[in-house]
Amino acid sequence: MDILREPRITLIARPQFLEPAHLPVQWKGESSDGERIAEFAGRLCYMSQHNPAGRTTAEYLTNILKQGHGSVFEHSTYVVLIEGISRSCSHELVRHRAGWGYSQLSQRYVDESHAAFVMPPAIQGDALLEAEWTAQVVAAQTAYVAAVEHLMARYAWVDDKIHRRKLAREAARSVLPNATEVKIVASANVRAWRTMLELRLGEGAELEIRRMAVACLRLLQGEAAALFGDFEIYPAGDGSEAGRVGFHKV
Ligand SMILES: Cc1cc2nc3c(=O)[nH]c(=O)nc-3n(C[C@H](O)[C@H](O)[C@H](O)COP(=O)(O)OP(=O)(O)OC[C@H]3O[C@@H](n4cnc5c(N)ncnc54)[C@H](O)[C@@H]3O)c2cc1C
């Protein structure tokens, strides 16, 4: 059985900007497509493509953030594959609705007999707690395997094997713990990313989703510094990492 100790975040799609030839912007400075889409949208509102203030993309977008002109950030979407998070963490993530889309591994269709489990950050590093927790998830997985076997026998009369397996797995999954690993594709526009990150990077957020948010932020800052550069990661009092935002919810 695999015990996972940190999330794995993989960017699977980034924005692509197609500049309209009839409305070219006087760009200044380096920028990614996601940043240019936001700048283009902002400049369209005021027809300021000629860039009268001579701002770089980073300066322009910082000003937009300062003004709270949030809709500008809804046009660039980043899609990530998130692995190595627990079912309880994904349950918290999917509470973020506006601007988000999700596709999550189905415990009805997928056999969880060999599922991995995510050790909560609060347990990691304490040998006794880790041993107790590991024994608990091993017992839960053993119970799951037994439940699937018994349910398959109970529904032997169902001819369609796929349907029979689904019936067994959807009932047996009830004994799997919140720590069961899920894989989820999550897509969000920049405004939605920023709202989630602000809430989940805070020291009040649960440790696992905070760790996931920190990993997502690092990835997004690498993609588009002008869109996420006002977030700061810092060491929290408990030794883990937390983050704060420069420009509150736009
Ligand atoms: C530290 C922490 C503790 C939490 N504890 C709990 C808990 O104990 N129990 C629990 O159930 N949840 C809990 N939550 C989840 C929380 O209540 C939110 O569901 C979650 O953070 C998603 O936030 P959101 O609704 O702002 O996000 P989104 O759904 O992404 O919405 C973004 C923004 O859009 C606007 N919006 C979205 N939908 C509506 C709407 N229907 N009407 C009006 N405006 C809307 C709001 O401005 C909202 O902030 C907790 C969250 C955090 C960060």
Side-chain angles (χ1 to χ4, degrees), residues 231-243:
F231 283 93
E232 179 201 357
I233 296 169
Y234 65 91
D238 60 6
S240 63
E241 289 181 310

Side-chain angles (χ1 to χ4, degrees), residues 87 106-108 112 144 168-177:
R87 190 87 180 178
S106 166
Q107 290 185 329
R108 296 179 70 208
E112 294 285 53
Y144 169 84
R169 288 171 186 165
E170 70 191 16
R173 68 175 170 171
S174 59
V175 300
L176 288 172

Side-chain angles (χ1 to χ4, degrees), residues 95-98 100 195 199-200 204-205 249:
R95 294 297 300 278
H96 296 278
R97 303 155 290 172
W100 283 88
T195 301
L199 287 168
R200 302 302 182 175
K249 189 178 176 192

